[in-house]
Amino acid sequence: MKKLGILATVLLMQTAFAQTNRFVYQVTMKPDASNKADVKTENAYLDISAEKSMFYSENRIKRDSVMKANFQSSGARGFNRDQMESLRSNINYSIEKDKKNQKILYKDRLGRDIYSYEEDRPLDWKILSETTKIGEYKVQKAETDFGGRKWTVWFTTDLPYQDGPYKFTGLPGLVVKAEDSEGDYSFDLMKNYKISDFPEMTTFGNIIKVKRSDYVKQQEKFKADPMSFVNSQRGGGISAPMRMGGGGNQNPADMRKRMEERVKEELKKNSNPIELK
């Protein structure tokens, strides 16, 4: 009986350890450099297991779920643009941390495709003696310079994780709060709970693996001339009239112009990125 009790305890601990823990962060951003009064706030998930963690927008999962349901029920005709518009996100990237190999993998969309790179800049932390309490957690202060911003974070050892939102990792605890010195970006832990497994991410377009320096170059090309960039991608361009839901045939030249205007407006609204260099 004693052996059975020990075995049951071990199995219970293994089951608990195998679960994925979700930490919900409120992300506050000022993405438009020309309008710092325009503050955006949304939630993002940090899902952590024993092998890896993933950080991504809550709206992405909701958007994927809506799109999947629409296509399964009524195909493209069931596409609700208003609903999708309400689920737009300023966090279009996702970040996966491989704990075993100590790697950070960043993915973001440029045009039609997803570009993926492995982060090649280690975070150099300065851990300070200052402590305080945020919510229910006792936290300690740390600082780092990363991506052209000076970051102040507060981490806790009350939880058995050495991780954090975005690319923040390498501290002896979980990041509860992070904020850059300009007050343009902040991450605040709101709550956490267990989930059965990591969600399945819907991917559209090709996944292109590059070095970080190459990603930066491609990003600059996209910003300089988004339509030329899209047309240069595999399958890019609009070469024939396309039928829009109930709107009849659309002229390719008019569609290009509208797309270009929309993309340029989006770039303007995201002219203050989280990484400045």
Side-chain angles (χ1 to χ4, degrees):
M1 289 296 291
K2 186 176 180 180
K3 289 182 178 179
L4 287 173
I6 294 172
L7 180 60
T9 301
V10 170
L11 289 173
L12 184 63
M13 290 177 65
Q14 288 179 338
T15 301
F17 191 66
Q19 282 185 316
T20 300
N21 291 268
R22 171 167 290 170
F23 293 86
V24 183
Y25 288 85
Q26 178 178 282
V27 187
T28 305
M29 302 158 279
K30 299 176 183 177
D32 188 342
S34 64
N35 184 13
K36 292 290 189 74
D38 184 19
V39 180
K40 305 292 186 184
T41 301
E42 63 179 282
N43 286 345
Y45 294 153
L46 174 65
D47 295 342
I48 305 176
S49 73
E51 297 82 23
K52 69 176 184 178
S53 71
M54 288 188 65
F55 181 75
Y56 55 94
S57 167
E58 177 183 69
N59 277 353
R60 173 174 178 176
I61 293 300
K62 291 181 177 179
R63 193 168 62 238
D64 285 356
S65 178
V66 169
M67 290 184 70
K68 185 176 181 180
N70 282 341
F71 278 107
Q72 286 179 343
S73 62
S74 53
R77 292 182 181 179
F79 188 74
N80 188 323
R81 291 190 178 277
D82 290 336
Q83 187 178 25
M84 294 299 289
E85 190 70 22
S86 70
L87 295 175
R88 289 173 67 87
S89 174
N90 283 88
I91 304 171
N92 297 308
Y93 57 82
S94 65
I95 295 168
E96 180 177 332
K97 302 186 186 91
D98 180 341
K99 295 187 178 182
K100 181 180 178 181
N101 298 307
Q102 296 294 300
K103 292 182 179 181
I104 299 174
L105 190 65
Y106 178 94
K107 293 181 181 179
D108 194 10
R109 177 175 295 280
L110 290 179
R112 294 175 178 269
D113 298 325
I114 302 293
Y115 283 75
S116 172
Y117 70 80
E118 182 182 323
E119 180 56 65
D120 55 5
R121 300 163 296 175
L123 282 87
D124 184 17
W125 292 104
K126 179 182 179 182
I127 299 177
L128 307 175
S129 59
E130 186 177 345
T131 62
T132 187
K133 197 167 185 181
I134 298 178
E136 60 186 290
Y137 304 116
K138 180 182 177 181
V139 295
Q140 186 171 351
K141 191 176 184 180
E143 296 176 342
T144 190
D145 291 312
F146 184 77
R149 294 186 185 273
K150 182 178 178 62
W151 291 93
T152 297
V153 310
W154 296 89
F155 67 93
T156 183
T157 56
D158 293 348
L159 295 164
Y161 305 102
Q162 297 181 354
D163 210 329
Y166 195 59
K167 297 177 181 178
F168 302 131
T169 188
L171 287 165
L174 180 76
V175 174
V176 173
K177 181 179 179 62
E179 184 177 26
D180 78 293
S181 59
E182 299 298 318
D184 289 344
Y185 286 85
S186 66
F187 301 83
D188 294 272
L189 178 62
M190 306 301 291
K191 59 182 177 180
N192 68 87
Y193 51 89
K194 293 185 184 300
I195 58 175
S196 59
D197 202 355
F198 290 88
E200 183 178 345
M201 298 285 194
T202 302
T203 301
F204 299 97
N206 304 301
I207 297 179
I208 302 174
K209 294 183 178 181
V210 295
K211 292 182 178 179
R212 186 181 62 84
S213 57
D214 293 328
Y215 166 79
V216 172
K217 291 177 183 177
Q218 293 301 313
Q219 188 180 48
E220 290 304 314
K221 286 182 180 179
F222 177 67
K223 290 179 180 178
D225 192 343
M227 293 313 299
S228 293
F229 184 90
V230 170
N231 289 335
S232 70
Q233 293 177 313
R234 189 184 306 173
I238 304 169
S239 57
M242 296 178 65
R243 183 174 294 276
M244 307 296 286
N249 291 332
Q250 302 294 309
N251 183 283
D254 291 341
M255 288 187 67
R256 286 194 199 95
K257 185 177 180 180
R258 284 197 298 274
M259 285 178 64
E260 186 169 12
E261 289 173 351
R262 188 168 66 245
V263 171
K264 286 184 176 179
E265 181 63 25
E266 286 297 313
L267 289 173
K268 178 181 178 298
K269 290 180 179 178
N270 292 278
S271 52
N272 183 33
I274 189 169
E275 291 187 23
L276 299 172
K277 62 179 182 180

